[in-house]
């Protein structure tokens, strides 16, 4: 178990749809521990397996003192929205206001294969949606309006950590509740 380098924007693994976890074994428990340790060392509020280069549907979170993880998440989102700042460990130093559902009910499993349900609002809901997006190859800047997305892409190109490749922007397949298109 160890702190692992976080993949940065432009890495192809961040644009892949992660595979469902089918085996709940020691290898998965090690992945959850690596995600947790890396997230806490960063520090961050959440971290998804693709951000460590592992294309599996797993993420960890640490919100308001609550540490947790979820495997194979399935989300039910509230109709009520929230708009607020969001950042990402794969885009260090960047933050933009992003529209998300205000509340979420997330069903999935823990690392042992036991069913888990997480209900949250505000920051926890934002985090769960953000990390689940990572599992679908979506990065939060994909949810920004055109003007903010252009500003984000300019900041990415100018960032010290950016590689010189051409980054890909995807349109989110999930509802934006009338927000960014």
């Amino acid at each position: 178990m160890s702190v692992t380098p976080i993949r940065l924007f432009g890495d192809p693994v961040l644009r892949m749809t992660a595979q469902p976890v089918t085996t709940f074994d020691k290898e998965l428990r090690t992945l959850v521990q690596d995600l947790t340790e890396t997230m806490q060392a960063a520090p961050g509020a959440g971290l998804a397996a693709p951000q460590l280069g592992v294309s599996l549907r797993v993420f960890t979170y640490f919100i308001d003192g609550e540490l947790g993880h979820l495997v194979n998440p399935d989300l039910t989102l509230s109709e009520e929205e929230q708009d607020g700042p969001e950042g990402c460990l794969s885009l260090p130093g960047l933050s933009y206001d992003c529209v998300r559902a205000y509340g979420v009910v997330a069903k999935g499993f823990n690392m042992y294969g036991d069913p888990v349900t997480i209900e949250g609002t505000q920051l926890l809901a934002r985090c769960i949606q953000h990390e689940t997006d990572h599992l679908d190859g979506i990065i939060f800047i994909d949810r920004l309006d055109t003007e903010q997305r252009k500003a984000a892409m300019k900041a990415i190109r100018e960032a010290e950590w950016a590689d010189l490749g051409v980054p890909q922007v995807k349109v989110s397949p999930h509802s934006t509740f009338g927000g960014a298109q």
Side-chain angles (χ1 to χ4, degrees), residues 48-109:
Q51 292 178 278
L52 297 188
V54 179
S55 190
L56 286 174
R57 298 187 72 76
V58 182
F59 69 82
T60 57
Y61 62 91
F62 184 66
I63 302 291
D64 297 330
E66 181 182 341
L67 180 63
H69 68 278
L70 194 59
V71 178
N72 298 338
D74 179 35
L75 307 186
T76 302
L77 305 177
S78 71
E79 290 185 27
E80 187 179 358
E81 294 179 334
Q82 61 174 315
D83 189 6
E86 196 164 320
C88 181
L89 294 174
S90 292
L91 289 96
L94 302 182
S95 177
Y96 296 91
D97 282 351
C98 183
V99 176
R100 295 279 186 183
Y102 177 79
V104 66
V105 176
K107 294 182 179 184
F109 301 91

Side-chain angles (χ1 to χ4, degrees), residues 151-181:
M153 294 306 294
K154 182 177 189 293
I156 290 166
R157 285 189 299 275
E158 294 172 353
E160 287 182 18
W161 50 262
D163 66 14
L164 300 176
V166 178
Q168 174 188 7
V169 174
K170 291 175 74 173
V171 174
S172 173
H174 308 290
S175 171
T176 59
F177 302 103
Q181 300 299 323

Side-chain angles (χ1 to χ4, degrees), residues 1-165:
M1 292 172 263
S2 64
V3 173
T4 305
I6 296 171
R7 303 294 179 98
L8 298 177
F9 184 82
D11 189 312
V13 73
L14 297 174
R15 291 305 192 174
M16 296 171 53
T17 300
Q19 298 300 307
V21 171
T22 57
T23 306
F24 293 80
D25 58 4
K26 183 178 180 181
E27 188 175 329
L28 177 63
R29 292 188 293 279
T30 299
L31 174 60
V32 170
Q33 188 64 38
D34 289 348
L35 283 165
T36 301
E37 290 179 11
T38 303
M39 172 188 66
Q40 290 180 314
L47 190 65
Q51 292 178 278
L52 297 188
V54 179
S55 190
L56 286 174
R57 298 187 72 76
V58 182
F59 69 82
T60 57
Y61 62 91
F62 184 66
I63 302 291
D64 297 330
E66 181 182 341
L67 180 63
H69 68 278
L70 194 59
V71 178
N72 298 338
D74 179 35
L75 307 186
T76 302
L77 305 177
S78 71
E79 290 185 27
E80 187 179 358
E81 294 179 334
Q82 61 174 315
D83 189 6
E86 196 164 320
C88 181
L89 294 174
S90 292
L91 289 96
L94 302 182
S95 177
Y96 296 91
D97 282 351
C98 183
V99 176
R100 295 279 186 183
Y102 177 79
V104 66
V105 176
K107 294 182 179 184
F109 301 91
N110 67 17
M111 64 182 139
Y112 302 103
D114 301 322
V116 174
T117 299
I118 303 166
E119 294 184 47
T121 58
Q122 297 178 321
L123 187 56
L124 180 57
R126 179 176 296 281
C127 178
I128 289 170
Q129 291 169 79
H130 178 108
E131 300 310 329
T132 302
D133 271 355
H134 274 300
L135 305 181
D136 293 326
I138 303 299
I139 299 174
F140 87 99
I141 62 169
D142 299 333
R143 294 186 169 276
L144 303 178
D145 63 36
T146 302
E147 184 178 313
Q148 280 193 311
R149 191 175 311 120
K150 283 181 183 178
M153 294 306 294
K154 182 177 189 293
I156 290 166
R157 285 189 299 275
E158 294 172 353
E160 287 182 18
W161 50 262
D163 66 14
L164 300 176

